[in-house]
């Protein structure tokens, strides 16, 4: 896992409630919207495949 994926994963995990990853992604997009932030830059640098890898890891391993 790349450093950008780790940043994205940690930020995404902050947005999760009730093990709902889809809602977490929506909350992530609303909460971390400040352009130029480390989290947004990391997320924008990831490919769709890299983001999916993070989401798959969170879903498979479980949240919390």
């Amino acid at each position: 896992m790349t450093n950008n994926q780790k940043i994205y994963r940690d930020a995404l995990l902050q947005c999760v409630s009730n093990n709902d990853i889809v809602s977490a992604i929506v909350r992530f997009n609303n909460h971390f919207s400040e352009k130029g932030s480390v989290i947004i830059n990391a997320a924008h640098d990831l490919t769709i495949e890299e983001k999916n890898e993070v989401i798959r890891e969170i879903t498979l391993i479980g949240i919390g």
Side-chain angles (χ1 to χ4, degrees):
M1 181 173 287
T2 67
N3 193 43
N4 282 345
Q5 283 177 304
K6 290 175 186 172
I7 292 169
Y8 179 62
R9 180 193 63 204
D10 293 344
L12 201 55
L13 284 171
Q14 292 176 32
C15 298
V16 173
S17 67
N18 299 325
N19 289 342
D20 186 353
I21 191 67
V22 175
S23 293
I25 294 168
V26 172
R27 277 192 289 286
F28 172 87
N29 290 333
N30 291 334
H31 184 67
F32 295 107
S33 60
E34 182 182 324
K35 288 189 167 108
S37 76
V38 172
I39 293 167
I40 290 301
N41 288 342
H44 282 301
D45 287 345
L46 295 175
T47 65
I48 296 295
E49 291 80 18
E50 289 171 323
K51 286 182 179 179
N52 286 341
E53 184 180 318
V54 170
I55 292 165
R56 191 167 34 258
E57 176 189 302
I58 291 171
T59 303
L60 290 175
I61 294 173
I63 300 161

